[in-house]
Amino acid sequence: MTPHKNSMHRREGGASLVVVLVFLVLLALLAINAFLGSTTNLRIVGNMQARSEGEAAAQVAIEQTISSDTFARNPTLAASAPIVVNTGSVSYTVRITPTPTCYRVRIVKNSELDPGTASDAACIRSGTVSMPGMQMPTPGEAGKLADNSLCADTEWNIRAEVVDARSGAKVAVNQGAALRMVQSDAINLCK
């Protein structure tokens, strides 16, 4: 072989080596990018799952709060203690904050009630009650008052807050709720 051919082979070998190294670097960058993309997607899915579980826990806490007997008498007390909701794999601590607020009250009319339904029958007022020392309503007012039942429909805004200890995700759920309660309690709570 002539010296010229050896140096040419060496230059071609060196060029091939450079091309192979460039392709290796590009493949390594692609592999790193794919890895980072997959871990990012995994974190996104994990955060979405934590958010969904937090929302579900907040809904459960709201339902437990408004379903308690205490809520109709004292919403502040019913919402004061944190509620622990277990989803099977994780326990969430839910706080009802701020105190539930009543924003609307409507006296239920006797004519709207079904006497055959136990919950409606408890609300039906019969006749008028005369109270000594009280000013008697005019005949027109008495007619309007005579159809008032013992119950009122109230509407509430309830907000539940959950913080996931694992991911740090914070979820707040606002929910409106309608609740029928004794008229005097409704008027006192919905000032």
Side-chain angles (χ1 to χ4, degrees), residues 85-143:
V85 177
N86 189 347
T87 63
S89 59
V90 180
S91 291
Y92 292 93
T93 301
V94 184
R95 298 190 190 302
I96 305 295
T97 180
T99 301
T101 54
C102 177
Y103 58 89
R104 189 172 300 143
V105 62
R106 185 186 70 82
I107 307 301
V108 178
K109 302 295 182 186
N110 278 322
S111 56
E112 298 171 351
L113 300 172
D114 176 12
T117 306
S119 60
D120 281 359
C123 292
I124 295 175
R125 176 182 289 178
S126 61
T128 59
V129 177
S130 175
M131 302 196 69
M134 299 292 291
Q135 182 179 350
M136 294 300 291
T138 66
E141 291 170 332

